[in-house]
Every structure is written in structure tokens, then in C-alpha cells.
Amino acid sequence: IEKKEVSDLASADLAKKRLVKDEKVNKLQDELNRAISENKKLTETLARVCESYNALHSYLEALQSRKSPEHDNFQKEHDKFASSSTGLGYGTTEIISDDKATVSTAYFPADKSDTSLSVRDGYQWRKYGQKITKDNPSPRAYFRCSFSPSCPVKKKVQRSAEDPSLFVAHYEGTHNHPGPHVGGSRTVKLDLVQGGLGPVEEKKERGTVQEVLMQQMASSLTNDPKFTAVLAAAISGRLIDQSRT
Amino acid sequence: STTSALVDELNRVSAENKKLSEMLTLMCENYNVLRKQLL
């Protein structure tokens, strides 16, 4: 009788363990199914957005080539800047003067996950373009000085091909007004500020509306089971905001 | 072994989802920049 009792207890214990393991496996399986479903929806959404982007890009290019050769000229100018030799360190600038314009290049530390391509150089800028091409998959962002058109300065920002932890900013022209942070060491100051912060704090410091939205979108995908709804709301919210402005 | 295989697969898919979401965010940003230009 004693042996039977022991045997019963052991089998009951075994059954309990098996049940717990089955529950765990089921949970994991559910989670995996959810992640796969998210993956599929994300892929579909991305494909749709890419399609829309390409269509809009083609349309805009056609429009610009007909109406405004200025953008193309600026693009050509900046392609020249990008191919010019630099060899500079962190936060330093090199100024090349020619007959047409003053050209300078500056390097800024960049967070690897930062896709905004915005650098703090002491001036305020208005972004007017960003593009990726097949031959150059690194995104390039184009900015005009916020005092434009009275101030002619433009800049192009791109992640460095040699060192992805750096942003390279190419400037064209000279500001005809004082910047918000007047002083000769504006880029050095930036380095000190950014270098002293951890990645998370740095992101908080940079907390522009766009970046916060981006973070929300990315984190909602991994944390929220209803990610598509949240994502769709965030994207449509941004689209609405953009169209309002 | 089933559990660890599931965990591995889940991690892989989650990492892929993260990359996809980042790409989607970037594309949305690019798209909005273009829209703004057009407007």
C-alpha cells in the first residue's frame, strides 16, 4: 500500500509538472503566433508605404525637373561637397571658399538608431527634403536656414559612410545673422553635451515631437498586443499633423 | 528543447519586427517630407 501511495504521488507530481510545461509552451506558441502575425502585417504595411513613397517621389521629381531646377542644382553642388576630401575629427569644421559659395563640412556624433538626421549646430533649420537612392542607401536630409529666404545658407546631413556613428553636415553659404548660440566653439560644445549623456538620456534631450512619436511607434510594436491599431493611429496622426502644417 | 526552440524563434521574429518597425518609421518620415514638399 505504501509503495502504491508513493507511486501515485510521483505520478501526480509528474502530471503537474507536465501541465505546467504544456501551459508554458502554449503561452510561447501564442506569443510566437502573435509576433508572426505582427511581422506579416508590418511587411505588408511597409510594402504599401514604399509603393506610395516611390510613386510620390517619382511624381515630385517630375514636377521639380519641370518647374524648379534649383533643387537639382543644389543636389549637384552637394554631391560635389560629399566627394571632396575632408579627414576631420569630431566637431571640427573645414571651410573651403570658391567663387560661388562658402562650403564647410562638420561632423557630429550620432546615435545609431537616430533616423532624424537632425544635428544641433546652433542654428535653426527647416527641413525641405530627404532621400535614399539605390546607389547611396544612406538617407540624406536637406535643410534651409530658418531665416530663408533672407539667409541663403543650406545644409545637407548624412550618416558618415566610413563611420556610422557620425553625421556629416555639408554647409553652403554664410549666415547673414547671428545664431542663437553665438560663439566660436558651437560644434565642440555640442560634442561635450552629447558625449556626457547616455543613449537614453540623449534621446530624451533631443525630444523633438518627431522623435517621441518614432519611439512611441517602435515601442508600441513590441509591447502592445494591438500594435497595428496603435501604429495606424500614430501614423495617421502624423499624416494629419503634417497636412495641417 | 521545445521551449528553447520556441524562445529562439520568438526572439528572432521579435528582432525582425523591430527592424521592420524602424524601416517603416523611416519610410513614413520620408513620405511625410515628400508630402510636405508637395503641399
Side-chain angles (χ1 to χ4, degrees):
Chain A
I1 292 166
E2 224 172 79
K3 273 185 181 175
K4 200 187 171 192
E5 277 178 358
V6 169
S7 169
D8 285 350
L9 276 172
S11 59
D13 191 43
L14 205 68
K16 198 179 172 185
K17 277 182 183 171
R18 195 173 291 165
L19 198 71
V20 169
K21 194 184 174 188
D22 285 350
E23 273 178 17
K24 197 177 173 185
V25 168
N26 285 341
K27 251 186 188 176
L28 276 169
Q29 190 66 56
D30 287 348
E31 185 72 10
L32 182 61
N33 289 341
R34 192 184 65 76
I36 289 170
S37 164
E38 277 180 16
N39 192 295
K40 198 180 166 191
K41 284 177 185 170
L42 270 171
T43 309
E44 287 168 1
T45 313
L46 187 61
R48 278 203 303 274
V49 173
C50 283
E51 254 176 50
S52 306
Y53 175 84
N54 287 334
L56 199 63
H57 189 258
S58 306
Y59 177 67
L60 198 67
E61 263 189 349
L63 210 67
Q64 278 176 340
S65 63
R66 266 189 295 167
K67 288 185 177 176
S68 166
E70 183 200 347
H71 182 271
D72 289 343
N73 290 340
F74 182 58
Q75 176 69 41
K76 281 176 194 168
E77 285 294 318
H78 278 288
D79 285 347
K80 278 185 201 168
F81 304 158
S83 62
S84 65
S85 59
T86 45
L88 301 170
Y90 281 50
T92 54
T93 57
E94 182 185 46
I95 298 174
I96 304 159
S97 293
D98 60 20
D99 295 340
K100 289 179 183 175
T102 307
V103 176
S104 61
T105 305
Y107 287 69
F108 299 92
D111 186 352
K112 282 190 178 174
S113 61
D114 187 354
T115 54
S116 67
L117 292 174
S118 56
V119 294
R120 290 184 186 176
D121 53 15
Y123 287 93
Q124 291 190 327
W125 301 90
R126 280 206 305 269
K127 194 173 184 178
Y128 70 93
Q130 181 161 328
K131 76 180 206 178
I132 304 172
T133 48
K134 279 182 187 172
D135 57 322
N136 186 355
S138 177
R140 284 146 282 162
Y142 298 92
F143 300 85
R144 280 193 184 97
C145 178
S146 62
F147 285 83
S148 171
S150 65
C151 178
V153 180
K154 293 172 181 176
K155 74 169 175 179
K156 181 176 85 167
V157 181
Q158 185 173 22
R159 198 176 283 279
S160 168
E162 292 83 21
D163 185 355
S165 66
L166 291 177
F167 281 145
V168 188
H170 299 286
Y171 297 87
E172 179 192 324
T174 311
H175 290 281
N176 54 15
H177 56 89
H181 305 291
V182 182
S185 60
R186 53 192 172 92
T187 52
V188 174
K189 190 178 174 186
L190 169 87
D191 290 347
L192 290 172
V193 170
Q194 293 197 338
L197 296 172
V200 178
E201 284 174 41
E202 190 182 325
K203 277 187 185 174
K204 281 179 186 170
E205 284 294 317
R206 289 185 183 176
T208 62
V209 177
Q210 279 196 339
E211 281 167 350
V212 170
L213 270 170
M214 280 164 61
Q215 282 175 353
Q216 281 176 352
M217 285 161 78
S219 64
S220 66
L221 285 165
T222 47
N223 298 330
D224 192 343
K226 295 176 181 175
F227 83 103
T228 40
V230 176
L231 179 67
I235 293 170
S236 59
R238 287 188 65 200
L239 289 175
I240 290 165
D241 284 349
Q242 294 278 347
S243 60
R244 277 180 188 160
T245 55
Chain B
S1 61
T2 314
T3 311
S4 66
L6 278 170
V7 169
D8 287 349
E9 183 65 3
L10 186 60
N11 286 340
R12 192 188 63 77
V13 177
S14 296
E16 204 175 311
N17 282 359
K18 198 181 169 195
K19 278 183 188 169
L20 280 168
S21 71
E22 285 168 1
M23 283 169 71
L24 188 58
T25 306
L26 181 65
M27 284 309 297
C28 285
E29 193 166 312
N30 289 336
Y31 182 80
N32 282 329
V33 169
L34 281 188
R35 266 176 58 99
K36 210 172 180 181
Q37 270 186 287
L38 206 63
L39 291 171

